[in-house]
Amino acid sequence: MSQTLVPVIAIDGPTASGKGTVAQRVADKLGFHYLDSGSLYRLTALAAQQRGVDLANGPEVAQIAASMKIAFRGGKTLLDGNDVGNEIRTESASQNASRVAALPEVREALLSLQRGFRLPPGLVADGRDMGSVVFPDAVLKVFLTASADARADRRTKQLKEKGMSAIMSDVVKELRARDERDMSRPVAPLKHYPDAYLLDTTGISAVDAVQKILTWAQKSVGS
Ligand code: DC
């Protein structure tokens, strides 16, 4: 199958909207591959930091993005062979990811890496620009969101489950700062484009959100 014929379901949205959980489950149900594109920005920021590169230096960070040795294996996220799954999920790692994600050179460098995940029988990709930039020909585009309070609540729980300390008011502040940066950057800003279905998960469970997307997918993917 030519790569461009492999169906892609693009799920974009702000932080802690539930897109990670939902996208992963949709991929499992359909037997599709899954791309968590945010992890690539997180890995880039971590790799740059480890090499002592200034996170504002676009060309140098982009070079790291293009050459870093990463792998996703058995639920682990590896950088240079080391499991960095927890390290890339801290609040400071989130802010650093958002910073390097605002650099056009870095976004460009990660394009082909992301498109490489498009493999038969299909791909569910989650991020901020999956439907707008990386996979504009996606067969289904969803913009997943939730109220700021619901997202902060989810994020606080996630951090606590991982044994990380989290104060709700700090989480709200950090979430707003990241939303603001992700939405206002000139390149590939986070935005609900009219060709994406809007799904607000504030009052609904992950199970219901998955079901809704599967119903849309049946129409567009035909599975
Ligand atoms: O989805 P996430 O929270 O893991 O993403 C981390 C950061 O990476 C987020 O603040 C913005 C950036 N990002 C992006 O700019 N484009 C994507 N497709 C995915 C993430």
Side-chain angles (χ1 to χ4, degrees):
M1 197 189 277
S2 133
Q3 212 192 19
T4 50
L5 292 177
V6 175
V8 176
I9 295 177
I11 303 182
D12 289 305
T15 187
S17 56
K19 57 185 177 10
T21 309
V22 169
Q24 174 82 72
R25 287 194 202 171
V26 170
D28 289 347
K29 290 269 184 197
L30 295 172
F32 279 15
H33 298 278
Y34 168 59
L35 166 64
D36 163 12
S37 63
S39 69
L40 302 179
Y41 290 94
R42 290 171 182 272
L43 285 163
T44 300
L46 178 63
Q49 234 180 357
Q50 286 178 347
R51 288 157 180 73
V53 168
D54 176 5
L55 296 188
N57 186 326
E60 280 192 28
V61 180
Q63 213 185 347
I64 286 169
S67 60
M68 62 186 176
K69 300 274 171 288
I70 61 165
F72 301 97
R73 222 176 283 137
K76 289 189 176 158
T77 305
L78 306 175
L79 175 62
D80 296 326
N82 301 313
D83 184 8
V84 293
N86 283 336
E87 216 173 324
I88 60 165
R89 298 282 151 202
T90 63
E91 265 317 305
S92 72
S94 302
Q95 297 295 341
N96 288 341
S98 173
R99 264 180 216 122
V100 300
L103 304 169
E105 300 93 335
V106 171
R107 305 201 71 84
E108 180 66 31
L110 288 177
L111 265 184
S112 61
L113 181 59
Q114 295 176 90
R115 289 182 178 147
F117 284 80
R118 187 175 195 169
L119 295 168
L123 175 70
V124 179
D126 95 51
R128 305 293 188 287
D129 61 343
M130 296 297 97
S132 56
V133 177
V134 183
F135 303 109
D137 61 341
V139 290
L140 172 64
K141 300 180 186 183
V142 179
F143 189 82
L144 205 77
T145 189
S147 71
D149 282 351
R151 293 189 290 120
D153 195 41
R154 269 180 212 160
R155 184 84 187 121
T156 308
K157 281 191 190 128
Q158 276 170 3
L159 290 170
K160 286 192 173 155
E161 272 163 23
K162 288 193 173 130
M164 299 174 192
S165 68
I167 300 163
M168 180 84 168
S169 56
D170 289 349
V171 173
V172 173
K173 236 188 278 164
E174 278 157 357
L175 197 126
R176 291 227 161 98
R178 200 139 68 93
D179 280 355
E180 177 59 29
R181 194 183 301 115
D182 295 344
M183 290 189 295
S184 62
R185 67 180 175 224
V187 192
L190 169 68
K191 187 174 152 178
H192 174 216
Y193 290 90
D195 61 347
Y197 285 97
L198 179 66
L199 182 53
D200 188 327
T201 63
T202 306
I204 67 168
S205 67
V207 173
D208 290 344
V210 169
Q211 198 45 53
K212 188 88 200 159
I213 295 175
L214 288 174
T215 308
W216 288 329
Q218 251 160 17
K219 285 189 214 143
S220 43
V221 186
S223 52

